[in-house]
Amino acid sequence: MSYYFKNLEHLYVHWPFCPYKCNFCDFVAIASHESFMQQYHESLCKEIQDFKDLYDAQAPLKTLYIGGGTPSTYPLPLILDMFAILKETISFDESTEVTLEVNPGTVEQGALEVWKSIGINRLSIGVQSLKDTVLQGLNRHQTKIDVINLLQKTEPLFENVSVDFIVGLPGVSAEEWKAMILQAMTWPIKHISVYFLMVHEKTPLYFKIKQKSVVLPPDDEIVDLYYWTVDVLEQHGFHRYELSNFAKKGFESKHNTAYWERKGYKGFGLGACSFNGQYRFQNNKNLRNYFQAVLDKNDLIHDVEEITPAQISMEKIMLGLRQAQGINIADVIQDFSLPQQQHFKERADWLEAKGFVRQEAGRLFLTPQGFILENEVAVNLFPE
């Protein structure tokens, strides 16, 4: 099994610490463990340095993404140190897209200037909602004022700013959602992500819904709001380039696009995932075990999955259909048997007749109706 990365272009760094954990979160994130930040930072930097022997630096990175957790809580002296080590180990240049996830209300004085100075050139701000009572119900300790204040401070320093919203949150009416999106159109942003609420098992939100103390909006209302949002964003120059992602021209997320196009990437940190085209693997998700694994240079990888030809085909279909550029039919079916190719073509024609896809110049695209049913469309296309 090879963990070697040739021509590495995309990098992910995980900062797992949060001042609190949101009720809908199932990420590798830990709250109220600030005392471990220094030790984690040291282990993270050692992991980065130890990677040098597996890295063939033939070209500068195209993207670096610092996610979490809440990376905006990374103490400034430590993130300065981490970036210095990164740049000693990995090749960067001025064109590298460097994204930091930011939660409003967690940005310390002077942080924006420090982030800018070390090469961070894109901020992804987790807004989710502008209704304070809804945020409180999700155990998200931020307010509408925090968001507005942060955006005012970012405007002089960062051109490439993205914000996230979640459609379908309990307690947000259709009128309130529309008012939030229209307000966001007045902000100094170049990118906006609109995610459907995902209710993950064993999260606090899951149990509240199960106990009926929280009631979700009807599905048809959420779908209508999504279509309305797509139209409004288009009117304001934010084109949909992926199911949940909208950008001004030239400001599409290069890092996330690499995931959707199945490019190789390396992840550093607790529970971080990597992909080299042949294998997907994930670092240890237990904090103490991660510390020990980095120290011993042993058992850092927790899970390994070899990608089969069938998985590759399914991923090409599912990830490709999410994007506005659709899928290249010949590329997807090249490894199919003749009966499987016939199945794909028949299902594509059937889905086109139903109005869920369209075919043009050897490519297959979702229609506006098809975007909402993307998973079902992909399953229909995949050979049985």
Side-chain angles (χ1 to χ4, degrees):
M1 182 183 309
S2 173
Y3 300 136
Y4 182 73
F5 284 81
K6 186 176 182 180
N7 299 327
L8 180 65
E9 295 180 334
H10 306 284
L11 197 67
Y12 174 84
V13 174
H14 192 67
W15 180 257
F17 299 99
C18 291
Y20 52 84
K21 192 160 184 177
C22 303
N23 286 346
F24 56 82
C25 178
D26 77 333
F27 297 148
V28 180
I30 48 180
S32 304
H33 282 67
E34 289 80 4
S35 61
F36 289 99
M37 283 184 175
Q38 177 70 41
Q39 186 179 0
Y40 179 82
H41 164 75
E42 292 171 0
S43 294
L44 176 63
C45 289
K46 185 176 187 303
E47 184 190 356
I48 292 168
Q49 289 172 316
D50 290 345
F51 176 69
K52 200 165 189 174
D53 294 338
L54 298 174
Y55 171 51
D56 181 4
Q58 293 188 8
L61 276 182
K62 289 186 177 178
T63 71
L64 164 63
Y65 194 101
I66 303 104
T70 308
S72 46
T73 64
Y74 206 141
L76 296 182
L78 300 186
I79 199 170
L80 280 165
D81 184 42
M82 189 270 287
F83 261 78
I85 290 168
L86 261 177
K87 290 178 178 179
E88 290 174 358
T89 308
I90 311 286
S91 177
F92 286 73
D93 69 10
E94 292 182 357
S95 68
T96 304
E97 177 193 85
V98 184
T99 303
L100 180 78
E101 286 183 351
V102 179
N103 280 20
T106 66
V107 181
E108 63 180 285
Q109 187 70 28
L112 293 169
E113 290 79 5
V114 170
W115 296 341
K116 180 81 171 180
S117 72
I118 60 179
I120 292 169
N121 51 32
R122 183 175 185 271
L123 299 182
S124 179
I125 301 174
V127 176
Q128 318 313 356
S129 176
L130 292 176
K131 189 172 180 180
D132 290 351
T133 54
V134 169
L135 293 166
Q136 291 165 10
L138 296 171
N139 195 40
R140 194 166 178 88
H141 302 185
Q142 68 188 54
T143 65
K144 177 180 178 178
I145 295 300
D146 289 330
V147 174
I148 302 304
N149 288 342
L150 176 58
L151 286 164
Q152 288 175 345
K153 293 174 182 176
T154 61
E155 186 172 9
L157 293 168
F158 294 92
E159 181 185 18
N160 196 351
V161 175
S162 175
V163 294
D164 293 356
F165 281 93
I166 298 177
V167 62
L169 286 173
V172 178
S173 69
E175 292 74 22
E176 289 169 331
W177 172 263
K178 292 177 180 181
M180 286 192 293
I181 295 300
L182 290 172
Q183 183 171 358
M185 294 300 92
T186 69
W187 293 347
I189 60 174
K190 294 294 193 295
H191 187 283
I192 181 168
S193 299
V194 178
Y195 297 111
F196 293 97
L197 176 64
M198 299 293 292
V199 180
H200 299 281
E201 288 191 7
K202 300 183 180 178
T203 60
L205 180 60
Y206 168 81
F207 290 114
K208 288 183 179 182
I209 292 170
K210 197 171 182 180
Q211 294 161 4
K212 299 184 178 179
S213 61
V214 167
V215 178
L216 298 180
D219 288 345
D220 56 350
E221 178 181 306
I222 297 171
V223 170
D224 288 344
L225 286 177
Y226 173 78
Y227 284 136
W228 177 90
T229 303
V230 172
D231 289 341
V232 167
L233 294 182
E234 290 282 357
Q235 291 166 19
H236 287 83
F238 291 85
H239 73 97
R240 178 174 58 182
Y241 69 102
E242 192 269 346
L243 175 63
S244 298
N245 289 275
F246 307 77
K248 295 286 182 74
K249 187 173 178 60
F251 288 91
E252 300 84 358
S253 169
K254 296 176 184 176
H255 186 83
N256 288 338
T257 299
Y259 292 153
W260 302 322
E261 293 181 351
R262 302 186 71 258
K263 305 291 188 184
Y265 55 88
K266 169 61 182 172
F268 292 114
L270 182 72
C273 296
S274 303
F275 174 58
N276 66 1
Q278 184 180 6
Y279 294 95
R280 280 199 181 86
F281 33 98
Q282 184 177 28
N283 281 358
N284 204 296
K285 295 189 288 185
N286 177 280
L287 188 61
R288 293 189 182 277
N289 290 346
Y290 171 76
F291 290 155
Q292 195 63 47
V294 173
L295 184 65
D296 296 342
K297 294 188 181 181
N298 186 36
D299 294 331
L300 179 59
I301 304 302
H302 182 259
D303 286 313
V304 179
E305 178 187 16
E306 184 173 7
I307 312 302
T308 67
Q311 285 175 303
I312 291 172
S313 297
M314 190 59 179
E315 288 174 5
K316 285 180 178 180
I317 294 171
M318 297 197 75
L319 296 174
L321 285 176
R322 292 184 65 90
Q323 301 178 72
Q325 67 183 15
I327 58 178
N328 182 311
I329 295 173
D331 177 53
V332 167
I333 69 175
Q334 64 181 344
D335 294 323
F336 286 178
S337 67
L338 289 178
Q340 289 174 327
Q341 291 182 12
Q342 185 64 27
H343 170 93
F344 182 96
K345 291 174 181 177
E346 289 175 356
R347 300 308 290 176
D349 290 343
W350 180 80
L351 288 163
E352 186 171 34
K354 292 289 185 180
F356 297 123
V357 303
R358 65 182 176 85
Q359 301 179 68
E360 182 181 333
R363 301 190 72 85
L364 184 73
F365 308 85
L366 290 176
T367 63
Q369 294 78 12
F371 265 110
I372 292 296
L373 299 171
E374 183 263 341
N375 280 344
E376 289 85 346
V377 171
V379 170
N380 262 277
L381 288 168
F382 193 70
E384 298 175 352

